[in-house]
Amino acid sequence: MSTQRLQVQPESYTDSVRLMSARRSMLDIDGVSFAAAVMGTEANRSELRDRDFDADELSGTGANDLVLAVTADSDEVATEAITAGESALSGGAGGGVELGQERPARTLEQGVEQLTDPNVALISVPGEYAALEAHKALTAGLHVLLFSSGVSPEAEIELKERGVELGLLVMGPDAGTAMLGGVGLGFANVVEPGPVGVVAAAGTGAQEVMTLLDRWGAGPSHVIGAGGRDPSSDVAGRMLELGLRTLQDDDATEILLIVSKPPAPEIAASLVEGLQEKPVVAAFIGLDDRELSVPDDVRLVTTLEKAALACLEVLGRPTPDPAEGLAEVAATAADGLSEGRRSLRGLFSGGTLCYETMVIASQRLGPVHSNTPLEEDWSPPAPDDGHICLDLGAEEFTQGRPHPMIDPEPRVEQLLEHGRNPACAVVLFDVVLGHGAHSDPASVLAPACEEITGQDDGPAVVAYVLGTSADPQGLEEQRQALRDAGCLVAPTNARAALLATAIAARQPEIAESPA
């Protein structure tokens, strides 16, 4: 008979990297069948109650309280696991500060004092405190990468108005990626520097274009992340505009690339007007290019793949053919499916990759239901045979738990659930590599893929790996591990979406069409 153990540490907010480390340390103990290291949000409490943990012990916890939970073979094993989790959270053996060693800064002000001429602050604290810390950074004369989510639109506007006045970037909130002067911030890939200056209101959108540019021989000079709300009417593209002006004056930047979900029409027009000193490519994902008139010297595209290819064309560099061979792959996969398998199921760690996929899939398959839907009436629940794409990096999935780029484990159950659905024709997912991401995500996801592809009359599994050959996980090693598990691995996110929709629709020629 198994034993369950809970430990609550009040007012002990812990970042997602340490939470993942604690969970893995507990799972590494022989005899542990389940372990969780989470913040006490309602979603996490509900999940633990569903696993029969004591509701009374959980009832008083809140979002700033740390919860360790274990299901084990015995009391002794449960105690050992909880101890291992605590050790991981405290840094383990030797994790303290040695005699004579400078203590880590506990405040932004201490950090500024300890460094020589700092110029950027990366802020990752609970949303209710994030705006205040960002204002402190601006006061100290620092650009800000605001990794935190949960910042109100009003606070964002105030921060960005002040940033514009001071000539300082406020990247975010919920900005996951930037690269300034060759230094990656947040989730960042290892790329060779090049001539393309990227300004993006899309985290994994920025990563997609910077890795494709690197792969195809024209890397980024800088990547400035503005935050997903920046191109809205309220925020008015303040940081996108400041980022573009900054890169206009940068000697290493030869071409400007704007990446965003469809901005408000007036914001899209203002962003591309007056940028005459350098060529501009604007990738407004999913925007009907008939809806926007742009100057003749601006290239308007609607997918991330097209954005990278357009930059190569403007620079006079050779362009690859990402569609090569995909029609044959789609046809072979579709031929192996029974007639009842018609639905697409996408499970994404990258919000922009999910959005781009939904745009492509909905044009070919019809409504795609999602927690971040393109249309209001495409919200869950979906019909049993409906098309679904989930952004598992959205706030409702990540409150108090690691982002799926950091910990891919929660996707395993979802992959298996959708892979066992008799209506599912194709399971589609992304893997994002780089600094900040899991050290070997394919090792976690491949066994589930192998189980899905090993079924009699099972669905196809399509994967896209976002990364570079220099990323610590190894791009080709991750791709090969997924191929070995039976996955069809696409060269870009747009091609993964086209390949998956071609299989679901039994129309392999779609894979040859422009993305």
Side-chain angles (χ1 to χ4, degrees):
M1 184 175 179
S2 62
T3 295
Q4 291 187 314
R5 181 74 57 82
L6 274 174
Q7 184 185 93
V8 178
Q9 299 180 11
E11 298 299 323
S12 299
Y13 183 83
T14 304
D15 66 64
S16 56
V17 175
R18 283 188 176 273
L19 291 174
M20 183 182 73
S21 175
R23 178 175 177 272
R24 293 205 171 280
S25 295
M26 292 188 287
L27 284 171
D28 284 343
I29 303 299
D30 289 339
V32 173
S33 57
F34 171 81
V38 296
M39 304 312 298
T41 62
E42 174 53 38
N44 290 334
R45 296 198 303 271
S46 176
E47 182 175 327
L48 291 174
R49 287 194 295 266
D50 289 344
R51 291 182 176 272
D52 296 325
F53 283 92
D54 193 318
D56 291 337
E57 287 188 67
L58 292 166
S59 61
T61 60
N64 286 326
D65 301 327
L66 171 65
V67 181
L68 300 180
V70 171
T71 302
D73 291 346
S74 66
D75 288 338
E76 292 78 11
V77 173
T79 299
E80 183 183 357
I82 292 290
T83 301
E86 291 176 319
S87 178
L89 290 168
S90 64
V97 179
E98 297 178 3
L99 188 63
Q101 180 182 350
E102 188 173 29
R103 289 188 174 275
R106 300 288 294 176
T107 67
L108 188 145
E109 293 84 355
Q110 290 174 358
V112 170
E113 289 175 4
Q114 288 183 11
L115 296 172
T116 303
D117 296 328
N119 59 3
V120 179
L122 196 160
I123 295 173
S124 179
V125 296
E128 59 192 294
Y129 309 113
L132 175 60
E133 294 303 314
H135 276 294
K136 291 179 183 178
L138 292 175
T139 298
L142 305 175
H143 300 289
V144 174
L145 179 71
L146 190 49
F147 195 83
S148 304
S149 57
V151 177
S152 71
E154 295 76 17
E156 178 178 353
I157 292 169
E158 183 179 358
L159 280 168
K160 290 184 172 179
E161 286 179 339
R162 190 173 176 215
V164 170
E165 290 174 4
L166 296 171
L168 295 171
L169 297 169
V170 179
M171 298 172 279
D174 202 17
T177 298
M179 190 188 79
L180 304 176
V183 177
L185 302 174
F187 294 112
N189 300 92
V190 182
V191 296
E192 287 293 322
V196 184
V198 180
V199 181
T204 46
Q207 287 184 267
E208 172 77 331
V209 295
M210 68 191 289
T211 55
L212 293 181
L213 288 167
D214 174 84
R215 188 190 311 169
W216 295 335
S221 56
H222 307 277
V223 178
I224 296 173
R229 286 193 305 227
D230 197 79
S232 67
S233 296
D234 291 338
V235 186
R238 287 178 171 89
M239 278 304 120
L240 288 171
E241 185 176 343
L242 180 57
L244 289 167
R245 291 207 313 266
T246 301
L247 294 181
Q248 284 264 44
D249 298 331
D250 177 60
D251 292 339
T253 301
E254 299 176 23
I255 181 173
L256 302 175
L257 171 56
I258 310 169
V259 177
S260 175
K261 296 172 187 175
E266 69 278 11
I267 304 304
S270 67
L271 287 174
V272 298
E273 288 175 359
L275 296 174
Q276 298 166 352
E277 297 176 25
K278 295 178 179 178
V280 178
V281 174
F284 297 144
I285 306 162
L287 181 72
D288 187 336
D289 55 14
R290 295 168 296 182
E291 298 175 7
L292 181 65
S293 176
V294 299
D296 292 339
D297 56 350
V298 175
R299 296 281 296 274
L300 183 63
V301 298
T302 54
T303 71
L304 300 167
E305 176 191 296
K306 281 185 173 181
L309 292 173
C311 289
L312 294 174
E313 290 172 2
V314 172
L315 292 166
R317 309 283 179 92
T319 56
D321 178 13
E324 186 177 1
L326 288 186
E328 292 81 2
V329 172
T332 301
D335 285 346
L337 297 177
S338 63
E339 183 59 30
R341 292 191 176 276
R342 290 283 179 174
S343 67
L344 165 67
R345 303 299 170 92
L347 301 169
F348 290 87
S349 60
T352 312
L353 305 185
C354 181
Y355 187 90
E356 181 179 56
T357 298
M358 290 192 294
V359 169
I360 291 170
S362 63
Q363 293 170 351
R364 293 154 174 82
L365 300 177
V368 178
H369 295 264
S370 176
N371 60 317
T372 56
L374 299 178
E375 304 284 349
E376 188 174 343
D377 57 354
W378 294 358
S379 299
D384 290 342
D385 59 351
H387 307 296
I388 300 171
C389 283
L390 297 178
D391 174 10
L392 299 178
E395 193 169 348
E396 64 265 31
F397 288 108
T398 58
Q399 284 187 338
R401 66 181 70 186
H403 191 282
M405 291 184 199
I406 299 171
D407 185 8
E409 189 79 38
R411 269 204 290 182
V412 170
E413 288 187 21
Q414 297 212 32
L415 283 168
L416 292 173
E417 177 187 346
H418 289 288
R420 293 166 181 154
N421 187 314
C424 180
V426 56
V427 179
L428 170 62
F429 68 97
D430 63 344
V431 176
V432 180
L433 309 182
H435 291 300
H438 189 276
S439 60
D440 186 9
S443 69
V444 179
L445 299 169
C449 297
E450 192 167 11
E451 182 172 332
I452 295 169
T453 59
Q455 299 176 90
D456 291 336
D457 186 34
V461 179
V462 174
Y464 171 58
V465 184
L466 186 164
T468 72
S469 59
D471 281 332
Q473 300 88 349
L475 174 62
E476 190 51 41
E477 291 85 348
Q478 294 291 306
R479 284 172 161 176
Q480 191 57 51
L482 295 172
R483 290 191 195 103
D484 291 344
C487 297
L488 308 175
V489 180
T492 71
N493 186 68
R495 294 297 155 177
L498 285 163
L499 177 57
T501 56
I503 294 168
R506 310 298 201 275
Q507 295 178 9
E509 67 276 6
I510 288 178
E512 296 280 5
S513 66

